[in-house]
Amino acid sequence: MSDPNTADCDSNLHASYYADGMQQVETELVENEQIAQSTYRLRVAAPTIAARAVPGQFVMIRLAGVNAPLIGRALAIYDIVNNDQGDPTWVDLVYLQKGAFTTPCSQSPVGTPVSLWGPLGNGFDPRPCDRLIMAVGGIGQTPMLLLGREANGAQAFGRPNGWAKDVELIYGARNEGLLAGVDDFRQAGFDVQLCTDDGSAGQQALVPAILEQRLQEIGDTASVRVVTCGPEIMMEKVAECCQKHHVDCQVSMETPMACGIGICFSCVAKVKQADGNWDYKRTCVEGPIFDAGKIDWS
C-alpha cells in the first residue's frame, strides 16, 4: 500500500492531509515553563511526529490517565528541536492557560505523562515570494516560527525551503505582557513589528492597520505573501486588506476541535467553492490552512 503522506495519494479516499499517517505517542513533559502572561511553552520527546511535521500542522494532546477533559486539545506545533545528531526529536507547543486542559497542564511538573497524536492538518503551502509577512494576534503566533524559518532557509521539512527573501512578523496583543516568544522570532532573523491595544509595546494599533501601512509602504505587492492566525475578526480584516492590495494570503483557522481527525464535524468552516457557493470544510483535515479569499466569514 502506498504512503498516504505522498502527493500521489490525493484522492477521494486518501488525501495527503488526512490523518492516515499520524503517529500516537505516549511520552512525558520535558519542559513546561511560563513564557508570558498566562502563556506557557511545553516540550515533549516525540521524534516520530517531529520527523513528519510541516509548518502549520498541529497535534492533539491530553494529560495521560486524566478523564477531565476526556478528549485532547489541539495545539499548533510551535517548534521542532533536533538532538545532537541533528535528528528531529522534541516538539514544542505554546498554549494559553484558560480552560479545562490548559489550566492543569500549566500546573504539571516535568515528568508528567502525556499522550499526543499527529501531525495533523494540511500545513502552509511553501509558495515562493520575495517577502513573507506573518500577521498574527493573540496566541496566533504559534504556527509561524517554523514557517518563517522554512521561508528564510534556516530549517527544512522535507519540502522546498528558502523560498522567501525577507520574512516579517506583525504581532499584536492586548498588552505587552501577553506577547510570547518575541525573542524566538527575532533570533530567527525576522523583522518583528509589535502592536498592542494599550500601547504598552510597539505601536498602539491593531494588526490589520499595521499590515495596511506596510503594504502601502511596499507599493509593488506582486511578490508579497501574507499568512495570518489569531482572532477571527482580525483574520477577516487581514484577508480584506490583502484582497484590496491583490496579495496572496493564507489563514490558519483556530476553530475549536474535538476529535482532530475529521470524525465529529465539530470544527467546520464555511469555504467558498468554484461555483460561487459555499460548503462546510473540516478545519482539522481540509485545514487548518485555507486560502483567505475562500473563507466565508459571515
Side-chain angles (χ1 to χ4, degrees):
M1 182 176 178
S2 60
D3 184 351
N5 286 318
T6 57
D8 62 356
C9 284
D10 281 340
S11 69
N12 290 332
L13 295 179
H14 289 287
S16 60
Y17 47 78
Y18 283 4
D20 302 56
M22 77 173 185
Q23 303 290 306
Q24 183 162 350
V25 176
E26 304 298 326
T27 184
E28 60 184 33
L29 297 179
V30 175
E31 296 180 10
N32 192 25
E33 61 178 0
Q34 187 169 2
I35 60 172
Q37 179 183 326
S38 304
T39 310
Y40 294 77
R41 178 184 59 80
L42 66 81
R43 176 171 296 175
V44 294
T48 56
I49 293 177
R52 288 172 171 257
V54 299
Q57 290 188 297
F58 66 95
V59 298
M60 299 292 292
I61 183 171
R62 65 186 297 269
L63 298 174
V66 176
N67 294 327
L70 181 62
I71 60 176
R73 168 72 185 273
L75 293 177
I77 297 175
Y78 177 70
D79 202 359
I80 292 173
V81 182
N82 295 346
N83 62 17
D84 292 340
Q85 291 71 46
D87 301 319
T89 302
W90 293 280
V91 173
D92 285 4
L93 309 172
V94 170
Y95 62 95
L96 189 66
Q97 177 194 352
K98 63 176 183 179
F101 165 76
T102 53
T103 297
C105 187
S106 68
Q107 301 164 354
S108 298
V110 168
T112 298
V114 296
S115 301
L116 68 156
W117 50 104
L120 297 166
N122 58 354
F124 290 103
D125 288 337
R127 300 176 183 171
C129 60
D130 286 342
R131 183 178 302 273
L132 174 68
I133 301 177
M134 304 180 292
V136 304
I139 200 70
Q141 86 284 13
T142 52
M144 299 302 178
L145 183 62
L146 293 182
L147 181 68
R149 286 204 196 119
E150 179 185 66
N152 70 10
Q155 206 161 348
F157 302 94
R159 62 184 199 173
N161 70 334
W163 41 262
K165 295 179 181 178
D166 297 291
V167 179
E168 298 183 22
L169 176 74
I170 301 173
Y171 182 13
R174 294 195 305 274
N175 58 64
E176 182 179 18
L178 289 168
L179 294 167
V182 174
D183 288 343
D184 293 336
F185 290 94
R186 286 178 171 150
Q187 290 169 9
F190 312 153
D191 178 19
V192 176
Q193 297 189 61
L194 303 178
C195 57
T196 48
D197 293 356
D198 62 0
S200 55
Q203 298 186 53
Q204 186 173 8
L206 300 177
V207 169
I210 301 297
L211 177 62
E212 172 70 30
Q213 176 183 317
R214 283 295 296 129
L215 294 180
Q216 289 181 2
E217 291 170 353
I218 293 167
D220 183 4
T221 59
S223 191
V224 174
R225 179 185 173 196
V226 171
V227 290
T228 185
C229 183
E232 188 167 299
I233 185 61
M234 184 212 78
M235 291 193 292
E236 180 180 1
K237 297 302 181 183
V238 166
E240 290 175 356
C241 178
C242 289
Q243 185 175 25
K244 171 185 172 182
H245 290 274
H246 307 287
V247 171
D248 175 29
C249 180
Q250 283 192 307
V251 299
S252 177
M253 301 295 287
E254 291 192 319
T255 310
M257 302 177 192
C259 73
I261 58 175
I263 295 174
C264 68
F265 284 78
S266 67
C267 63
V268 293
K270 294 169 69 175
V271 179
K272 298 174 185 175
Q273 305 302 293
D275 62 4
N277 295 315
W278 60 266
D279 193 9
Y280 284 119
K281 299 296 182 181
R282 296 164 294 179
T283 302
C284 64
V285 289
E286 284 93 4
I289 313 302
F290 296 98
D291 284 338
K294 294 182 179 180
I295 298 295
D296 187 329
W297 301 99
S298 60

